[in-house]
Amino acid sequence: MKFFHLSDLHIGKQLHNYDLKENQQAVFAQIVREARERRPDAVLICGDIFDHAVPSGESYAVFDKFLQDLSAITPPIPVLAIAGNHDNAKRLGYASSFLEKHQIYLSVSPPAQPEEHLKKIVLSDAHGEVDFYLLPFLKPGYVRHLFAEGEVRSYEDAVRKILERENINERRRNVLLSHQFYTNGGQEPERCESEQLALSLGGMENVDVSVIESFDYAALGHIHGAQMVKHPYIRYCGTPLKYSVSEERHKKSITMVTLGEKGQKATIEAIPLKPLQEVRRERGLLEEVIGRATDENCHDFISVTLTDEKEPYRPREQLEEVYDSILEIRIDNTRTRNRIREQEEGDFSMHPMELFRSFYQEMQGMPLTAEEEALLERILDEREGEGV
């Protein structure tokens, strides 16, 4: 049984106000080409299909095109997808009955009634049947009413109790699709700045990996960097694109998994994905950063850190002459380091307006306009009036 493991498409996401639609469409087209060439038995999408709970019409169109292109492959390849914490269950689940006629299976909510169970899709290969269990993102409150009082107090309790209800036959090959924050004995997977997990005090959102170790493969979503959790067969596949500067060194890919007979280790292969625009950092003197621009890299999304001791003339304008997509400009020199040290030592004498004015000048290489100053003053006045 061979399948593609994808997650965290985040359709509709922006990167520092840059639209990623074309980059997403390009990487989805690569996935379709790989599916057409490698002929997986299924494509798994493990949550956070959209970046917002209320996706734009354009975002729906991008996802619809992706599904249509996958469905056009003959013979058809089943698509199994679950909702993540960014997804709106009702919106994502719309027309799910119709989609199943085209072998596109969506699970957007955990069981809500005692008679309900996880959606299970059974697929077959030369070694027999494989059971795919679709477990969308859940919180304890979503399922607490299904169990006796006090049995579900944490995310780990919720996942464990829901899986126990399924009476999973461990003599069969079983695959789990899940979108939760799994840890190994409290050891967290590597995370990046773009992941807003907002963990509860005491690590209540953690689910220990022991809860899902009995599966032959656990296809996980929620973490943006591809990595295993304790075992190679329990894996986050990561995002298909870099969604923050902190993901600069990630190697984005399709995770292709091959299951043999029951008891055999899964074979895992990473199929590289290439974006239209890379995400990377540039650091150095303004002249050096400008000098490193080439025809190949000038279209990348770049975060620039300038180290000039003497403030250069209109740095943003100079950079924009050679780089198309500047995410941010930071200044790191003796002056800024001293200012940071003063702030850390408790120098709060400056008015918020002065602080922001100085910060903006350092970051953007230009002063606030009169219109921006007026807007900021109005916001500060409103906040002071609220007693904040």
Side-chain angles (χ1 to χ4, degrees):
M1 178 70 63
K2 180 168 64 179
F3 52 86
F4 284 2
H5 172 194
L6 309 170
S7 79
D8 296 83
L9 308 184
H10 286 286
I11 297 171
K13 187 174 182 63
Q14 292 188 332
L15 182 60
H16 288 243
N17 296 319
Y18 284 98
D19 189 351
L20 294 176
K21 176 185 173 183
E22 291 186 4
N23 281 269
Q24 290 179 327
Q25 289 175 316
V27 81
F28 295 160
Q30 291 177 53
I31 294 169
V32 172
R33 287 197 296 273
E34 293 292 345
R36 187 176 293 114
E37 178 180 334
R38 297 175 186 264
R39 296 296 317 168
D41 297 293
V43 173
L44 316 185
I45 306 176
C46 298
D48 281 359
I49 292 169
F50 296 108
D51 192 56
H52 303 289
V54 184
S56 66
E58 188 174 61
S59 296
Y60 278 116
V62 171
F63 186 47
D64 180 65
K65 177 67 162 56
F66 182 38
L67 293 180
Q68 285 192 45
D69 290 346
L70 287 173
S71 297
I73 299 172
T74 53
I77 300 173
V79 176
L80 284 57
I82 60 173
N85 58 301
H86 279 245
D87 297 310
N88 181 295
K90 290 183 178 179
R91 292 176 182 272
L92 183 60
Y94 177 74
S96 58
S97 298
F98 172 79
L99 292 174
E100 288 197 7
K101 296 178 181 178
H102 299 272
Q103 297 193 52
I104 298 171
Y105 303 95
L106 291 171
S107 180
V108 298
S109 301
Q113 302 299 327
E115 67 275 11
E116 295 178 356
H117 289 271
L118 295 179
K119 185 184 289 291
K120 181 174 77 171
I121 307 300
V122 181
L123 302 177
S124 300
D125 65 2
H127 301 293
E129 294 182 332
V130 179
D131 295 338
F132 290 82
Y133 289 88
L134 279 59
L135 175 60
F137 176 75
L138 60 79
K139 296 181 179 181
Y142 295 176
V143 299
R144 187 174 287 127
H145 62 283
L146 298 175
F147 305 98
E149 185 176 352
E151 287 190 327
V152 175
R153 297 181 180 273
S154 67
Y155 282 72
E156 183 174 321
D157 292 340
V159 173
R160 177 183 290 108
K161 299 299 289 186
I162 284 294
L163 291 177
E164 286 176 354
R165 294 174 81 248
E166 298 303 313
N167 294 317
I168 297 170
N169 186 347
E170 295 186 6
R171 294 190 299 273
R172 294 166 63 88
R173 291 175 294 168
N174 299 298
V175 175
L176 176 69
L177 284 69
S178 181
H179 190 96
Q180 302 287 156
F181 186 56
Y182 288 95
T183 59
N184 175 21
Q187 179 180 349
E188 298 183 359
E190 294 182 8
R191 292 184 284 153
C192 55
E193 295 170 5
S194 60
E195 296 165 88
Q196 302 299 319
L197 296 177
L199 294 178
S200 303
L201 291 174
M204 289 292 287
E205 288 192 11
N206 295 11
V207 179
D208 192 78
V209 70
S210 60
V211 175
I212 58 173
E213 282 183 299
S214 62
F215 284 90
D216 296 277
Y217 185 82
L220 307 181
H222 202 23
I223 300 297
H224 287 199
Q227 58 195 288
M228 69 178 192
V229 184
K230 189 176 181 179
H231 305 289
Y233 67 88
I234 301 177
R235 180 170 294 272
Y236 288 105
C237 63
T239 56
L241 280 175
K242 297 175 184 178
Y243 287 134
S244 75
V245 177
S246 61
E247 297 176 46
E248 176 189 20
R249 301 190 183 281
H250 287 188
K251 303 297 183 183
K252 301 303 185 181
S253 63
I254 302 165
T255 298
M256 185 172 73
V257 181
T258 304
L259 288 181
E261 295 180 346
K262 178 69 176 182
Q264 291 183 338
K265 293 182 179 180
T267 301
I268 299 166
E269 178 183 352
I271 305 170
L273 292 170
K274 184 174 178 56
L276 294 178
Q277 296 166 274
E278 275 292 350
V279 178
R280 59 188 182 83
R281 292 181 172 95
E282 282 283 357
R283 179 184 176 87
L285 301 175
L286 176 62
E287 184 179 356
E288 294 172 341
V289 174
I290 290 174
R292 289 197 289 268
T294 67
D295 291 340
E296 289 73 31
N297 69 22
C298 68
H299 306 298
D300 293 346
F301 294 113
I302 63 168
S303 169
V304 179
T305 300
L306 298 178
T307 59
D308 303 75
E309 288 296 333
K310 182 179 179 181
E311 184 175 323
Y313 177 73
R314 293 186 177 275
R316 176 170 286 275
E317 285 85 344
Q318 292 192 59
L319 288 165
E320 287 177 342
E321 289 181 6
V322 293
Y323 292 108
D324 294 343
S325 304
I326 299 173
L327 302 176
E328 59 188 352
I329 300 174
R330 299 174 179 269
I331 307 295
D332 183 15
N333 56 24
T334 302
R335 185 177 66 258
T336 58
R337 287 193 292 272
N338 286 341
R339 181 171 298 164
I340 291 171
R341 185 168 60 252
E342 289 171 1
Q343 292 172 353
E344 289 176 346
E345 291 172 355
D347 179 12
F348 301 109
S349 59
M350 293 178 69
H351 186 274
M353 187 67 181
E354 295 178 69
L355 286 170
F356 190 86
R357 188 184 290 121
S358 176
F359 173 79
Y360 187 90
Q361 175 71 43
E362 293 290 351
M363 294 298 100
Q364 302 299 326
M366 64 181 73
L368 288 163
T369 65
E371 183 180 356
E372 289 168 338
E373 290 232 9
L375 175 62
L376 183 58
E377 286 179 353
R378 187 163 64 251
I379 292 171
L380 291 173
D381 288 343
E382 290 174 356
R383 299 297 284 175
E384 289 178 3
E386 294 171 0
V388 177

